[in-house]
Amino acid sequence: MNYQTQTEAPGPGRGRALLAAALLFFTASAASLYVTSNNSPPQTNSLNTALPISTPEIDDINNHRSLSVALQDGGCMVTYAKMTSYPIPPVWQASFPGSGARMTWTLVEALTGIRTNNDYDSQGRGYEHVVAVKTHYPVKDARRRFGDLDPLFGRAIVILRNPINAVPSYFNLQYEHLNHLPNHSTRGPNEDWIIYRDDPSSGLPYQIPSYESFVEYWMDKYPEPQQLLMISYEDLTDSRMGPIAAARIANFLGETEGVNPIAAESIPCVWETIVNYKNAAEPTPEMYAEAAAVLAETAPPAMEVDFIRRKKRKNVTPPTPEMLAE
């Protein structure tokens, strides 16, 4: 089975790239990839089980940005993201394949109320009215047009996942594509994983240098702290560190002119809704009623809400305002 990707050979900054990745990871060594089996759980779109509340849409995106809020009893209301009515400078949302790009995409929209896009422009949204654009460059060059798009960007958020999980996750995605299966629905057979893992043209001997090249590229491209935000996938999905990582993303995006993220106190609840949704209870009629009451108090009468979720926290200490400000 032949799984092909595109990449650049690692350059002289290989050691620097590895150091940056190592500083973000507190899990097992990437060297374990050469003996590990494919045990990574597939990623899932957090909106699949959403339940809608709908009223007529409003045009002004600012009204949406302020309305992703935490309900008083621990619930969460996430509004429907819209494209801006005015041009804004987008931010690259870069990640190595298999590192939660779709989850991060959804989280960015919930934190800002503004739509995102990808470098394929598969949604036909363009690039001047979205807050971030997903890319896997230089691992993949969508339609070979990265060089044409790049002048529109001046900053990037880079999500780094430990390759011990990212590479098997990417294998699963390629297995799904080859077998015409839905994305993030299937874990490839172990026997196929072992063949892929050991293939010098597409497996670990190829993917690890590709990972190094990916990290090196983005660190060299944006050397200034205000240009580059590096976030660990492991932090972003952790019950304690996740809301803090989400707050860092919101703060970074808030530095873009025309982008006003949600209030800091709402970020933990929104993180629970988007990232930790598997542990959330189904919305109840009482939650819908409470959401309607919140809307009546804080929003114009015409708006659209995608879904409401409530997460019942167990043995989790909520982040303090000081932690979110870090």
Side-chain angles (χ1 to χ4, degrees), residues 260-279:
N260 301 308
I262 62 174
E265 59 268 22
S266 298
I267 291 177
C269 180
V270 170
W271 176 87
E272 291 279 2
T273 301
I274 301 299
V275 179
N276 209 28
Y277 70 96
K278 290 182 180 179
N279 296 322

Side-chain angles (χ1 to χ4, degrees), residues 294-315:
V294 172
L295 289 179
E297 295 175 359
T298 63
M303 71 165 294
E304 181 176 320
V305 177
D306 249 356
F307 60 95
I308 301 172
R309 285 282 188 193
R310 173 154 67 184
K311 164 69 172 62
K312 295 180 179 178
R313 290 177 176 266
K314 294 182 179 180
N315 302 322

Side-chain angles (χ1 to χ4, degrees), residues 138-149:
V139 182
K140 293 182 177 181
D141 187 356
R143 298 178 181 173
R144 301 186 182 277
R145 58 186 300 190
F146 183 89
D148 295 331
L149 295 176

